[in-house]
Amino acid sequence: MPNLDQAPDGASLAAMAQPAPVEIDPIYYTWSSTFSILLGRMTGSRDVELEKGYFSEMDTLKADSICKRCETNKEYLLQYSPIVRFLKDEVGKLGGDLTKDNIFCRMCTNEQSGGFSLDHGILLCANKFRNRGHQEDTMAHEMVHAWDHLKWKVEADNMRHQACLEIRASTLSGECRFSREFFTRNQWRITEQLQNCVRRRATLSMLARPGIKNEEHAGKVVNEVWESCFRDTRPFDEIYR
C-alpha cells in the first residue's frame, strides 16, 4: 500500500508543505549570550533555556541562509539554464506548469537531493547541494519525472514503472555525464561510464521505494526495464549531455 506521507520517489511531502525559513529575531544571537553560555558552563550555573533558544536560533539562521542560496540559484536556473528551460517548456506542452512557486527549497534530513510529487511539485533539498551545477542536475532530474508522469500513466506501486522513471531521469538530467562522475564521485571507468552511472543511481533510488526488499531486488527490477528505458530519450532527440 502506498505511503501517503511520501511521493512515489520517496520524497517527504511534509517537507514540501512546510513553510520556508523566515527572518529571525536575533534575541539570542549576541556576544553577551555566547559569553553567558560559556560562563554558565564553566561555573556550573547553566541557563538551559538560554542555551536552547540560542542554538535553535543558530540552526534557523543557517537554514535561512542555505535556503536563500537555493532560491537564488533556482530563479537563475529557471531563467538561464538551457536544460531547465527546455524541460519546463516540454512539461508545459503536456499541461503542466513548473514555476518558482511549486519548486520548493527546503532543508532535508534524508540523503536525497530532491523529489517530485504530481500533486505538490518539486522538492529541492537546499542543504544537500554542493554548488549550482549540482542543483541544476537535480532540477533537471525531477523535471524529467514531471514530464514522465504527465506523458504516461505511472503507477506508484509498479516497481517496473518506478525503475524506468529513475533510469530516464539519471540518463537525461546530466548528473551522469563523465565530468561529474570523474571529478566528484571518483568513478574512473571510461568504458560504458554513462551506463554504469545510470544503473548505480537508479538502483540506489529504487531502495527508497517501500516495495523494494534490498539492493539485489532493486538491481533486478532496473535490469528488467533497462533496454527500453535507457534508449528512450524523449523529450530530447538524444541524450542531452
Side-chain angles (χ1 to χ4, degrees):
M1 184 175 179
N3 186 342
L4 299 180
D5 295 326
Q6 289 185 335
D9 63 357
S12 170
L13 298 182
M16 291 187 185
Q18 73 182 12
V22 297
E23 294 294 335
I24 62 172
D25 177 11
I27 186 172
Y28 295 104
Y29 189 51
T30 63
W31 282 110
S32 60
S33 294
T34 305
F35 184 75
S36 296
I37 289 170
L38 294 175
L39 183 62
R41 287 180 172 179
M42 285 187 290
T43 61
S45 57
R46 296 174 62 180
D47 185 335
V48 176
E49 290 303 313
L50 174 65
E51 292 188 27
K52 286 172 60 178
Y54 176 83
F55 289 112
S56 174
E57 191 147 321
M58 288 295 289
D59 287 344
T60 302
L61 182 65
K62 181 180 179 182
D64 185 66
S65 174
I66 291 172
C67 286
K68 280 184 176 178
R69 181 179 63 195
C70 175
E71 291 286 348
T72 298
N73 286 335
K74 176 184 76 177
E75 295 192 18
Y76 176 91
L77 292 168
L78 284 169
Q79 186 171 359
Y80 297 112
S81 165
I83 188 171
V84 168
R85 291 180 61 181
F86 173 79
L87 286 168
K88 182 181 185 301
D89 289 345
E90 292 300 311
V91 166
K93 292 176 184 178
L94 297 178
D97 187 22
L98 289 174
T99 71
K100 64 182 181 66
D101 296 324
N102 57 13
I103 302 177
F104 306 99
C105 288
R106 298 290 186 266
M107 302 289 282
C108 299
T109 57
N110 58 21
E111 291 306 312
Q112 288 178 282
S113 56
F116 171 75
S117 164
L118 191 60
D119 297 323
H120 295 78
I122 288 174
L123 169 69
L124 299 177
C125 293
N127 53 323
K128 302 297 181 179
F129 298 133
R130 296 182 297 274
N131 48 44
R132 184 192 287 161
H134 185 197
Q135 183 169 333
E136 180 183 35
D137 290 346
T138 300
M139 286 178 66
H141 181 113
E142 303 306 334
M143 284 177 156
V144 173
H145 282 337
W147 191 89
D148 284 353
H149 276 274
L150 290 168
K151 182 69 174 179
W152 296 292
K153 181 176 174 58
V154 178
E155 300 173 6
D157 56 352
N158 186 319
M159 293 301 103
R160 290 167 65 91
H161 286 191
Q162 298 302 317
C164 194
L165 293 182
E166 294 303 336
I167 290 169
R168 281 177 38 77
S170 288
T171 301
L172 301 174
S173 65
E175 62 193 7
C176 276
R177 62 187 176 276
F178 177 75
S179 59
R180 181 75 74 212
E181 287 285 278
F182 189 88
F183 290 111
T184 65
R185 302 191 186 104
N186 294 321
Q187 299 295 324
W188 307 109
R189 293 182 60 180
I190 296 177
T191 304
E192 296 188 344
Q193 174 272 329
L194 174 64
Q195 292 91 327
N196 290 329
C197 172
V198 172
R199 283 183 187 275
R200 185 183 74 253
R201 293 182 67 85
T203 300
L204 290 173
S205 293
M206 288 301 293
L207 289 174
R209 270 61 174 190
I212 295 297
K213 301 173 185 177
N214 50 41
E215 187 171 351
E216 181 181 358
H217 183 204
K220 180 176 181 294
V221 177
V222 168
N223 287 334
E224 288 174 356
V225 298
W226 174 262
E227 288 299 327
S228 61
C229 297
F230 180 74
R231 295 179 185 277
D232 185 356
T233 63
R234 290 175 289 178
F236 299 95
D237 293 330
E238 57 186 6
I239 294 175
Y240 177 67
R241 46 180 170 173

